[in-house]
Amino acid sequence: MPVSVPAADRRQRASAAFSLSFLSLVFSITAFSSSYWCEGTRKVAKPFCTGQSKGDHCIRFNSPDANNSNAVQYIWETGDDKFVDRKFHAGIWYSCEEIINEEGEKCRSFISLTPASDRGVLWLSIVTELLYIILLLTGVILMSVEMCYYSTVIDGLKINAFSAVVTVLAGLLGMVAHMMYTTVFQMTVNLGPEDWRPHTWDYGWSYCLAWASFACCMAAAVTTINKYTKTILEFKHKRKTLGKSLKIKYKFPD
């Protein structure tokens, strides 16, 4: 007669691993498609006010010597109050910055901003992120099959082992992809176009979400491996207990 590990306990551990893996998948897709991996400001010179435009984001210049280049030069060199901080945010795909005195944003492809020597690393980061998401999706599908697949313990263990390998590999790829993007962004800050380089910047919520996805992925992998190991140990223990009980019942010689 087959020996089975308690189904309720198995299903509880499988549900925990599935929930963590699914959460990791949602976080990774959200972060990958957003443009808030990094946020900051650029210091740009204020434009001259035109028409009815007023406020602190433009320079009012009504001098009769408007055509005098020296007067204009003097206006631009009066200090930091003649500059304005323009907010920007950037992701894997594009970078956007606000438009002064107008609503909306102006976006550019982040790939076009990256130095030519680092674009290969950026594309490798993008490919690795896609593989990370694909492996996470594969792990989620395997875990859902395991939860709904009522068969022998051995079949469940095979699916469990494969999902553990896939999830661990996904976590390693995710870590490498996030680190490569971090390196590329820092190189773009130092060597990118002059009209894009930020004055101040920091990592945004998408970057934090990407690393939260990695943390959930590794937690799912640990939970899956722990479930596999515990199931094996319980299976061996019950098998050994059954063997002892049969030996006592039929009084087999040692």
Side-chain angles (χ1 to χ4, degrees):
M1 57 179 293
V3 180
S4 61
V5 180
D9 193 27
R10 284 206 315 271
R11 200 164 300 169
Q12 185 177 7
R13 293 196 296 266
S15 298
F18 173 81
S19 300
L20 287 169
S21 188
F22 183 77
L23 197 62
S24 176
L25 178 63
V26 173
F27 285 172
S28 64
I29 293 175
T30 304
F32 185 68
S33 58
S34 71
S35 62
Y36 286 86
W37 286 62
C38 299
E39 300 177 76
T41 59
R42 288 185 55 238
K43 188 177 288 292
V44 297
K46 295 180 182 178
F48 290 111
C49 297
T50 58
Q52 301 298 320
S53 59
K54 298 179 180 179
D56 297 330
H57 290 169
C58 64
I59 300 174
R60 177 64 63 180
F61 185 66
N62 295 322
S63 170
D65 296 327
N67 294 324
N68 188 325
S69 60
N70 292 328
V72 174
Q73 187 72 15
Y74 173 77
I75 287 295
W76 284 107
E77 292 181 352
T78 51
D80 287 342
D81 59 327
K82 299 307 176 184
F83 294 86
V84 63
D85 290 332
R86 176 184 290 178
K87 295 180 180 179
F88 84 98
H89 54 90
I92 292 178
W93 298 106
Y94 50 91
S95 173
C96 298
E97 59 185 46
E98 64 179 349
I99 302 175
I100 300 177
N101 294 328
E102 294 182 23
E103 295 183 357
E105 295 179 325
K106 179 181 69 175
C107 297
R108 290 181 285 180
S109 169
F110 183 74
I111 298 174
S112 64
L113 299 173
T114 307
S117 58
D118 295 312
R119 285 178 187 169
V121 180
L122 178 61
W123 278 113
L124 185 59
S125 172
I126 292 174
V127 172
T128 309
E129 285 282 355
L130 288 173
L131 289 175
Y132 171 56
I133 293 174
I134 291 172
L135 287 176
L136 280 177
L137 179 60
T138 303
V140 168
I141 293 173
L142 288 172
M143 291 176 189
S144 62
V145 169
E146 183 189 359
M147 290 174 60
C148 303
Y149 187 63
Y150 302 101
S151 184
T152 63
V153 177
I154 299 301
D155 289 339
L157 284 173
K158 290 179 181 177
I159 299 175
N160 189 214
F162 191 53
S163 62
V165 172
V166 168
T167 309
V168 170
L169 183 59
L172 294 176
L173 287 176
M175 179 183 65
V176 172
H178 303 343
M179 292 176 67
M180 284 194 295
Y181 177 79
T182 303
T183 301
V184 170
F185 184 84
Q186 291 176 348
M187 293 299 295
T188 305
V189 168
N190 296 326
L191 303 175
E194 290 285 350
D195 63 343
W196 178 84
R197 294 183 192 176
H199 179 66
T200 61
W201 66 275
D202 201 352
Y203 296 109
W205 62 266
S206 295
Y207 186 80
C208 297
L209 201 63
W211 282 108
S213 170
F214 166 75
C216 289
C217 176
M218 297 310 295
V222 171
T223 304
T224 306
I225 294 172
N226 177 264
K227 174 180 177 292
Y228 177 83
T229 305
K230 192 172 181 180
T231 303
I232 288 290
L233 293 176
E234 288 176 348
F235 185 77
K236 288 182 177 180
H237 176 72
K238 291 206 170 189
R239 187 175 180 180
K240 185 177 180 180
T241 304
L242 180 62
K244 286 183 178 180
S245 64
L246 289 175
K247 182 184 289 188
I248 294 172
K249 182 177 181 180
Y250 296 102
K251 296 181 180 179
F252 287 153
D254 292 335

